[in-house]
Amino acid sequence: MKLAVVGGGSTYTPELIDGFARLRDTLPVEELVLVDPAADRLDLVGGLARRIFAKQGHPGRIVTTSDIDAGVADADAVLLQLRVGGQAARNQDETWPLECGCIGQETTGAGGLAKALRTVPVVLDIAERVRRTNPDAWIIDFTNPVGIVTRALLQAGHKAVGLCNVAIGFQRKFAALLDVTPGEVHLDHVGLNHLTWELGVRLGGPGGENVLPKLLAEHGDTIADDLHMPRAIVDRLGVVPSYYLRYFYAHDAVVRELGTKPSRAAEVAAMEKELLALYGDPALDEKPALLAKRGGAFYSEAAVDLASSLLGSGGSPVQVVNTSNKGTLPFLPDDAVIEVQARVDDTGATPLAVPELDPLYAGLISHVTAYEDLALEAALRGGRDRVFKALLAHPLIGQFEYAEALTDKLIAHNREHLAWA
């Protein structure tokens, strides 16, 4: 089995390597190719990856290359975890929207649109290269904004499934609070990527006992603190929203907060510098503790589980993924990409049935899906007017004066990545 990781020079990658090494019985990788244009980073990450495999006795071969075509050739699955423009572009995404009083964030709002515009054309080019060498290969997208990127891939006819670590993070957190194994926890996870709610937490499977009321009663303070939301709001909702809902439920407060501290991108850039120095130590043969602060917790386990199911080598039968709606949420188009529990096997992902959603959730999902339609159109076809319409449609913007100003700023800060600009 051959797997390729595009964006393999990411500081995330040792987390993924550790998962491949520990879970080799689930996903027997014979060759793992790390693909990245940044040769200096790739050498450091590749060296550590080989030492991790060696320490844990993994027999697989790790190859590094900057040649995408060679890297993905004959791969059974290709994982995408790239960041067009690097942390510098992310830092811009998180700062210039604040100048207009809007959220500065890399996956939602104006910053999220900028990332989509930079990313979609690059991902589609990579996917075409994959299709030329192996049309049966699966593409697993971890590249944000996952919902828009996955929809672009599916719309172009690629065998693709999107993946996010929010759900597995909740699963592990709830399992620890309940003192059960993660495999016993099933989430009624519904929404779009980075716009989801846990409507239930069930023990033993999809039809198991819903222990969410117990979790909120006994551990509500802990859960609310993790979400950076008031306990009273979580109790009032009676569900657990993802962390990203704070950008919608407390927009103005978060804008004020973001204006008082360095961007997350600046923090991550400093952390990455330290991580790369650690990766260069020939004595290091395991992922360092600092990596846990980088983000992406449990990413490796989610990725291994998904890849093993898609490649027919095991894996959990039910997983939270990003895939086509296909009538699951009847108020959305069939080709919208939603993030829900799905049955996953070598034929792909089939969403499980979802109960009728309260308008409180369905309304916001519909609104953001409409924005994603326009965002994808702008990413595929370009043009200032399409960017403006996508920004105007976003529920975190929605005013023409903001949309006009943000359009100008987005184009000015991203011109080098936008062929049409």
Side-chain angles (χ1 to χ4, degrees), residues 361-383:
Y361 314 121
L364 188 53
I365 290 170
S366 296
H367 196 160
V368 174
T369 297
Y371 150 75
E372 290 188 347
D373 290 346
L374 294 167
L376 182 54
E377 183 75 2
L380 293 173
R381 300 180 63 191

Side-chain angles (χ1 to χ4, degrees), residues 125-393:
D125 176 67
I126 294 169
E128 285 300 327
R129 294 166 185 248
V130 173
R131 179 150 55 189
R132 284 199 297 267
T133 181
N134 184 3
D136 292 326
W138 281 101
I139 296 176
I140 297 174
D141 178 60
F142 196 69
T143 298
N144 282 318
V146 168
I148 295 173
V149 173
T150 302
R151 186 168 182 180
L153 288 165
L154 291 172
Q155 187 171 290
H158 298 289
K159 293 177 60 177
V161 180
L163 182 64
C164 180
N165 69 326
V166 166
I168 194 171
F170 274 133
Q171 182 200 44
R172 300 307 167 89
K173 180 70 175 181
F174 296 156
L177 293 174
L178 294 165
D179 195 25
V180 299
T181 64
E184 296 176 77
V185 176
H186 175 92
L187 303 177
D188 291 342
H189 180 101
V190 180
L192 310 176
N193 181 242
H194 289 184
L195 192 86
T196 53
W197 297 263
E198 309 307 329
L199 304 183
V201 178
R202 301 184 183 277
L203 293 182
E209 176 192 3
N210 182 14
V211 295
L212 180 56
K214 175 185 176 181
L215 269 172
L216 292 177
E218 297 180 2
H219 304 286
D221 288 340
T222 298
I223 292 170
D225 286 347
D226 286 347
L227 300 173
H228 296 271
M229 293 185 191
R231 164 79 185 268
I233 295 300
V234 178
D235 284 341
R236 190 169 183 179
L237 292 174
V239 304
V240 179
S242 80
Y243 169 88
Y244 293 89
L245 264 299
R246 69 193 293 262
Y247 300 123
F248 295 82
Y249 292 163
H251 176 275
D252 294 353
V254 176
V255 168
R256 290 192 294 270
E257 172 193 320
L258 293 175
T260 64
K261 61 183 183 180
S263 69
R264 173 62 177 165
E267 295 175 355
V268 170
M271 199 179 305
E272 287 195 334
K273 185 177 181 180
E274 187 175 350
L275 282 168
L276 289 170
L278 291 173
Y279 295 171
D281 180 357
L284 183 68
D285 56 8
E286 60 186 10
K287 63 178 182 179
L290 178 62
L291 187 55
K293 297 181 181 180
R294 170 65 179 82
F298 308 115
Y299 160 42
S300 64
E301 293 171 45
V304 168
D305 205 16
L306 178 55
S308 61
S309 293
L310 292 173
L311 297 176
S313 65
S316 304
V318 176
Q319 301 171 39
V320 173
V321 297
N322 285 261
T323 191
S324 295
N325 179 44
K326 298 176 183 175
T328 307
L329 299 180
F331 52 87
L332 295 185
D334 283 351
D335 64 349
V337 166
I338 59 175
E339 185 172 293
V340 293
Q341 291 276 7
R343 297 201 179 277
V344 183
D345 57 26
D346 58 3
T347 66
T350 304
L352 299 183
V354 172
E356 183 177 355
L357 291 186
D358 188 295
L360 179 63
Y361 314 121
L364 188 53
I365 290 170
S366 296
H367 196 160
V368 174
T369 297
Y371 150 75
E372 290 188 347
D373 290 346
L374 294 167
L376 182 54
E377 183 75 2
L380 293 173
R381 300 180 63 191
R384 186 187 187 283
D385 194 51
R386 293 187 182 92
V387 173
F388 169 78
K389 288 178 179 178
L391 290 168
L392 187 63

Side-chain angles (χ1 to χ4, degrees), residues 92-107:
Q92 292 180 350
D93 294 343
E94 294 178 341
T95 51
W96 55 261
L98 297 175
E99 297 170 10
C100 296
C102 295
I103 286 291
Q105 213 280 328
E106 65 157 341
T107 63

